[in-house]
Amino acid sequence: TVPFLGDRLGFLRGQLVVISDLFADIDGTRVQLGPSPFTAIPLLDGSIGLVDRRQPSLRVLNSGGTLSQRTPLTAPELKQFQTSDFELSVIDAATIDDHLLVAAAPYNPLEGARILRFSSRGQLKESLRVAMPEVPELAGSASGRMSVSRIATVGTRLFLASTTPSALRVVYCDLK
């Protein structure tokens, strides 16, 4: 469940938006979101983007509770899974300016994290690889490198976070 406060997203000041796995609640009005897991992200226009992690697509939830049609996110690196599958195509998502960033699955630590940049209309603009550092606690594993479980942005800086049994680790890179 992800709570958003209205004055941070362009919703009405003080309007509470709570997003769970299957629905969004906007000041008591429930909006069905569907059975697929998704990542909720704030968009520049004040709405909330919902990135489907199994069937890569973007839907937009506005302050009136209207949910847009799916905008497919297509890239050679993204696989489409059925809603009954357990595999995910998207690890996490974030925004930078008016672009959507997606961390694609499956993650290969030897090749680095695959970050895809899409336009607000779902067009692939760029595909990046981010090399991940070695982690002492993982020295005995196949790669010994940090994995990616979350991404976030501040300005043009992309943060990639990972949890290991003993720590939360964060690395960053600057995007242009």
Side-chain angles (χ1 to χ4, degrees):
T1 302
V2 179
F4 291 98
L5 292 177
D7 57 339
R8 293 193 63 219
L9 286 174
F11 282 64
L12 300 175
R13 182 174 293 283
Q15 187 175 23
L16 178 63
V17 180
V18 178
I19 297 179
S20 72
D21 291 339
L22 299 176
F23 66 90
D25 188 322
I26 304 171
D27 279 345
T29 302
R30 186 167 282 193
V31 179
Q32 273 312 112
L33 300 177
S36 268
F38 59 87
T39 296
I41 53 175
L43 301 176
L44 278 182
D45 66 359
S47 57
I48 299 172
L50 302 169
V51 177
D52 188 313
R53 297 175 61 203
R54 191 166 286 132
Q55 297 174 331
S57 59
L58 173 67
R59 297 178 84 184
V60 177
L61 177 66
N62 68 26
S63 63
T66 304
L67 189 61
S68 73
Q69 295 293 320
R70 291 182 185 276
T71 300
L73 302 174
T74 55
E77 299 86 353
L78 289 175
K79 295 180 181 176
Q80 299 285 329
F81 292 107
Q82 298 302 313
T83 56
S84 60
D85 292 340
F86 290 104
E87 294 91 354
L88 297 177
S89 297
V90 174
I91 296 169
D92 200 17
T95 56
I96 185 167
D97 297 326
D98 63 344
H99 289 106
L100 173 67
L101 298 177
V102 170
Y107 168 71
N108 182 336
L110 294 176
E111 294 178 4
R114 171 72 68 186
I115 305 296
L116 306 172
R117 186 191 303 234
F118 291 93
S119 73
S120 59
R121 298 179 189 265
Q123 297 170 324
L124 180 64
K125 294 294 185 183
E126 187 175 20
S127 177
L128 308 164
R129 283 282 189 188
V130 178
M132 303 304 285
E134 291 184 3
V135 177
E137 292 90 4
L138 301 176
S141 71
S143 73
R145 297 192 176 274
M146 183 176 133
S147 63
V148 176
S149 56
R150 300 292 300 194
I151 65 171
T153 58
V154 175
T156 59
R157 186 162 283 174
L158 170 65
F159 293 88
L160 300 100
S162 173
T163 55
T164 63
S166 62
L168 168 68
R169 298 187 185 278
V170 179
V171 296
Y172 67 88
C173 62
D174 290 315
L175 301 176
K176 297 184 187 227

